[in-house]
Amino acid sequence: MSYAIDISAARREIQHPNGVITKISKDIAVTFPAELPLEALDPILSDELDLVGLIGDIVQADGVDGLDVSKVVTAIFRRPSLPRKFLAAVRETYEILLGDQFEEFLESKPSSGDYLRLTIALSKVYGVELGKLLRSLVSSESDSPTSSQTSPGTTGSTPAESGSGPDTPTSSGPDA
């Protein structure tokens, strides 16, 4: 049978048929799923954590191009439970990804740097960039107008009626 769409062909299981085998320490290796399960993003994108809301507040305050670090810090301090909730969400995400291997992973006592390096490496393998994902979620919430008038009034070069051309002076002969 021929299929118009076969999503199984594009999965990362083709590249990593046994999962993403990862050396954690000299004695510990774990295997992450070959494809990022959607549920693994739930803890990071949860309403309770409100990371998307935080990013929205920061972007609204400064815009995407000119982030002021002091305003980022202020936005974080307005949510005093955010750091602890974020760490819990990261741990929960890794627990979803590793399943039964999560306890073995924790035995290696991963540092914040370990989590960061591992997350960056996994995002490359999975083809997911959380910055772009979160930016698209924030930008979709914008209530600003999508376009604005470029100049007031008209220039006179645009015909008033569709299909009509510009007025041209008539010629009355060679001496005119």
Side-chain angles (χ1 to χ4, degrees), residues 135-161:
R135 187 177 313 129
S136 68
L137 289 172
V138 170
S139 66
S140 67
E141 295 174 358
S142 174
D143 60 355
S144 64
T146 56
S147 63
S148 61
Q149 187 175 349
T150 55
S151 64
T154 60
T155 62
S157 63
T158 305
E161 296 177 25

Short mmCIF file of all heavy atoms in Angstrom, two decimals, residues 135-161:
data_model
loop_
_atom_site.label_atom_id
_atom_site.label_comp_id
_atom_site.label_asym_id
_atom_site.label_seq_id
_atom_site.Cartn_x
_atom_site.Cartn_y
_atom_site.Cartn_z
N ARG A 135 9.47 31.77 21.87
CA ARG A 135 9.28 33.04 21.18
C ARG A 135 8.03 32.99 20.31
O ARG A 135 7.25 33.93 20.27
CB ARG A 135 10.50 33.37 20.31
CG ARG A 135 10.43 34.76 19.71
CD ARG A 135 11.68 35.13 18.91
NE ARG A 135 12.90 34.82 19.59
CZ ARG A 135 13.88 34.12 19.05
NH1 ARG A 135 13.78 33.64 17.83
NH2 ARG A 135 14.98 33.89 19.71
N SER A 136 7.80 31.86 19.64
CA SER A 136 6.62 31.77 18.79
C SER A 136 5.35 31.74 19.63
O SER A 136 4.33 32.29 19.24
CB SER A 136 6.68 30.55 17.88
OG SER A 136 6.57 29.36 18.63
N LEU A 137 5.41 31.13 20.83
CA LEU A 137 4.24 31.14 21.70
C LEU A 137 3.95 32.55 22.20
O LEU A 137 2.81 32.97 22.28
CB LEU A 137 4.47 30.21 22.90
CG LEU A 137 4.46 28.72 22.59
CD1 LEU A 137 4.89 27.93 23.81
CD2 LEU A 137 3.09 28.27 22.12
N VAL A 138 5.00 33.31 22.52
CA VAL A 138 4.82 34.67 23.01
C VAL A 138 4.33 35.57 21.89
O VAL A 138 3.39 36.34 22.06
CB VAL A 138 6.13 35.22 23.60
CG1 VAL A 138 6.02 36.70 23.88
CG2 VAL A 138 6.47 34.48 24.88
N SER A 139 4.91 35.45 20.71
CA SER A 139 4.52 36.34 19.62
C SER A 139 3.09 36.07 19.16
O SER A 139 2.42 36.96 18.66
CB SER A 139 5.50 36.22 18.44
OG SER A 139 5.42 34.94 17.86
N SER A 140 2.59 34.86 19.35
CA SER A 140 1.23 34.57 18.93
C SER A 140 0.22 35.23 19.86
O SER A 140 -0.94 35.35 19.51
CB SER A 140 0.99 33.06 18.88
OG SER A 140 1.04 32.52 20.17
N GLU A 141 0.66 35.66 21.05
CA GLU A 141 -0.24 36.30 21.99
C GLU A 141 -0.31 37.81 21.79
O GLU A 141 -1.03 38.49 22.48
CB GLU A 141 0.22 36.02 23.42
CG GLU A 141 0.14 34.55 23.78
CD GLU A 141 0.73 34.27 25.15
OE1 GLU A 141 1.23 35.21 25.79
OE2 GLU A 141 0.69 33.12 25.57
N SER A 142 0.43 38.36 20.88
CA SER A 142 0.49 39.80 20.68
C SER A 142 -0.87 40.34 20.25
O SER A 142 -1.57 39.75 19.45
CB SER A 142 1.54 40.13 19.61
OG SER A 142 1.50 41.49 19.31
N ASP A 143 -1.21 41.52 20.81
CA ASP A 143 -2.46 42.15 20.41
C ASP A 143 -2.20 43.45 19.66
O ASP A 143 -3.08 44.29 19.50
CB ASP A 143 -3.37 42.40 21.62
CG ASP A 143 -2.71 43.30 22.66
OD1 ASP A 143 -1.53 43.66 22.49
OD2 ASP A 143 -3.39 43.65 23.65
N SER A 144 -0.98 43.64 19.19
CA SER A 144 -0.65 44.85 18.45
C SER A 144 -1.09 44.72 17.01
O SER A 144 -1.28 43.63 16.50
CB SER A 144 0.86 45.11 18.51
OG SER A 144 1.55 44.07 17.87
N PRO A 145 -1.28 45.87 16.33
CA PRO A 145 -1.70 45.80 14.93
C PRO A 145 -0.63 45.16 14.07
O PRO A 145 0.56 45.27 14.36
CB PRO A 145 -1.91 47.27 14.54
CG PRO A 145 -1.19 48.07 15.57
CD PRO A 145 -1.10 47.22 16.81
N THR A 146 -1.05 44.50 13.02
CA THR A 146 -0.09 43.79 12.18
C THR A 146 0.52 44.69 11.12
O THR A 146 1.53 44.38 10.56
CB THR A 146 -0.76 42.59 11.48
OG1 THR A 146 -1.89 43.06 10.76
CG2 THR A 146 -1.18 41.56 12.51
N SER A 147 -0.13 45.81 10.81
CA SER A 147 0.45 46.72 9.83
C SER A 147 0.03 48.14 10.18
O SER A 147 -0.90 48.37 10.93
CB SER A 147 -0.03 46.37 8.42
OG SER A 147 -1.43 46.54 8.34
N SER A 148 0.78 49.09 9.63
CA SER A 148 0.44 50.48 9.86
C SER A 148 0.57 51.23 8.54
O SER A 148 1.25 50.81 7.62
CB SER A 148 1.38 51.09 10.90
OG SER A 148 2.72 51.03 10.45
N GLN A 149 -0.09 52.36 8.49
CA GLN A 149 -0.05 53.18 7.28
C GLN A 149 1.37 53.71 7.11
O GLN A 149 1.99 54.16 8.07
CB GLN A 149 -1.03 54.34 7.44
CG GLN A 149 -1.21 55.15 6.19
CD GLN A 149 -2.31 56.20 6.39
OE1 GLN A 149 -3.03 56.16 7.37
NE2 GLN A 149 -2.41 57.11 5.47
N THR A 150 1.90 53.65 5.90
CA THR A 150 3.27 54.07 5.69
C THR A 150 3.39 55.57 5.48
O THR A 150 4.42 56.15 5.77
CB THR A 150 3.89 53.35 4.47
OG1 THR A 150 3.07 53.57 3.34
CG2 THR A 150 4.02 51.86 4.76
N SER A 151 2.37 56.23 4.96
CA SER A 151 2.42 57.68 4.80
C SER A 151 1.00 58.23 4.82
O SER A 151 0.06 57.58 4.39
CB SER A 151 3.11 58.05 3.48
OG SER A 151 2.36 57.57 2.39
N PRO A 152 0.86 59.46 5.30
CA PRO A 152 -0.47 60.05 5.32
C PRO A 152 -0.85 60.54 3.93
O PRO A 152 0.01 60.98 3.17
CB PRO A 152 -0.32 61.21 6.30
CG PRO A 152 1.13 61.57 6.24
CD PRO A 152 1.86 60.29 5.94
N GLY A 153 -2.11 60.46 3.62
CA GLY A 153 -2.58 60.99 2.34
C GLY A 153 -2.18 60.13 1.17
O GLY A 153 -1.72 59.02 1.31
N THR A 154 -2.36 60.69 -0.01
CA THR A 154 -2.00 59.97 -1.23
C THR A 154 -0.94 60.75 -1.97
O THR A 154 -0.72 61.93 -1.73
CB THR A 154 -3.23 59.79 -2.15
OG1 THR A 154 -3.73 61.08 -2.48
CG2 THR A 154 -4.31 58.98 -1.45
N THR A 155 -0.29 60.09 -2.90
CA THR A 155 0.78 60.73 -3.65
C THR A 155 0.32 61.30 -4.97
O THR A 155 1.06 62.03 -5.62
CB THR A 155 1.91 59.71 -3.93
OG1 THR A 155 1.37 58.66 -4.73
CG2 THR A 155 2.48 59.16 -2.64
N GLY A 156 -0.85 60.95 -5.40
CA GLY A 156 -1.33 61.44 -6.69
C GLY A 156 -0.88 60.59 -7.85
O GLY A 156 -1.38 60.73 -8.96
N SER A 157 0.06 59.70 -7.63
CA SER A 157 0.53 58.86 -8.73
C SER A 157 -0.31 57.61 -8.87
O SER A 157 -0.20 56.90 -9.85
CB SER A 157 2.00 58.49 -8.51
OG SER A 157 2.12 57.73 -7.33
N THR A 158 -1.15 57.32 -7.88
CA THR A 158 -1.99 56.14 -7.96
C THR A 158 -3.33 56.54 -8.55
O THR A 158 -3.96 57.47 -8.08
CB THR A 158 -2.22 55.57 -6.54
OG1 THR A 158 -0.95 55.32 -5.95
CG2 THR A 158 -3.03 54.29 -6.60
N PRO A 159 -3.75 55.89 -9.60
CA PRO A 159 -5.02 56.26 -10.22
C PRO A 159 -6.19 56.06 -9.26
O PRO A 159 -6.18 55.15 -8.45
CB PRO A 159 -5.16 55.31 -11.41
CG PRO A 159 -3.91 54.52 -11.48
CD PRO A 159 -3.10 54.79 -10.26
N ALA A 160 -7.16 56.93 -9.35
CA ALA A 160 -8.33 56.86 -8.48
C ALA A 160 -9.21 55.68 -8.84
O ALA A 160 -9.84 55.09 -7.99
CB ALA A 160 -9.12 58.15 -8.55
N GLU A 161 -9.28 55.34 -10.10
CA GLU A 161 -10.12 54.24 -10.54
C GLU A 161 -9.24 53.09 -11.00
O GLU A 161 -8.20 53.29 -11.61
CB GLU A 161 -11.01 54.68 -11.71
CG GLU A 161 -12.00 55.77 -11.34
CD GLU A 161 -12.81 56.21 -12.56
OE1 GLU A 161 -12.96 55.41 -13.50
OE2 GLU A 161 -13.26 57.36 -12.56
#
